[in-house]
Amino acid sequence: QVQLVESGGGLVQAGGSLRLSCAASGRPFSIYSMAWFRQVAGKEREFVAAVSASAGNTYYADFVKGRFTISRDNTKNTVYLQMNSLKPDDTAVYYCAAGRNTIFVATNIQSVGSWGQGTQVTVSS
């Protein structure tokens, strides 16, 4: 079991930026992929971005379109999501996720082993 605690969510105007952070504890952090998902009420949780354990590979959903950047600092057991040029459609609860195993990168919900509690991001127009 890994504990994931997100921070950095809030209210921002369209075109603005936020940086989400996710602090992990409870199991070795550096050997698991990490990811960000988001969910709007009434819709299924969707993949946003992922980073491999070594941080050598990153993966993004198409709707990010170069606006978001995922990164990790294994010395701090922390993963980040830098969100720029935010749009109202980005409004959602954002969840930090840890991969289910050490082999596959968590780019879908089936590959996720642990979830954070979520942090609300609201983008106003």
Side-chain angles (χ1 to χ4, degrees):
Q1 178 66 246
V2 61
Q3 292 77 49
L4 304 172
V5 180
E6 300 100 331
S7 62
L11 175 65
V12 65
Q13 64 182 1
S17 297
L18 285 173
R19 188 176 77 156
L20 306 183
S21 298
C22 174
S25 62
R27 73 174 182 179
F29 174 77
S30 63
I31 64 174
Y32 289 89
S33 69
M34 298 294 295
W36 290 94
F37 290 72
R38 70 186 190 185
Q39 187 169 25
V40 177
K43 294 184 176 293
E44 64 185 40
R45 194 167 297 184
E46 64 181 353
F47 169 75
V48 176
V51 59
S52 62
S54 68
N57 300 99
T58 56
Y59 309 83
Y60 297 97
D62 288 341
F63 60 74
V64 172
K65 298 186 183 299
R67 299 179 297 125
F68 294 1
T69 302
I70 188 171
S71 62
R72 67 191 297 163
D73 185 343
N74 287 345
T75 69
K76 295 183 170 65
N77 291 350
T78 301
V79 63
Y80 306 94
L81 185 67
Q82 178 67 47
M83 304 185 294
N84 299 325
S85 301
L86 283 162
K87 306 173 180 178
D89 284 349
D90 294 319
T91 296
V93 177
Y94 283 72
Y95 295 90
C96 181
R100 181 177 295 277
N101 56 53
T102 62
I103 299 174
F104 300 105
V105 178
T107 57
N108 57 72
I109 60 173
Q110 289 75 30
S111 62
V112 172
S114 300
W115 296 98
Q117 81 287 345
T119 185
Q120 177 71 47
V121 172
T122 302
V123 184
S124 64
S125 60

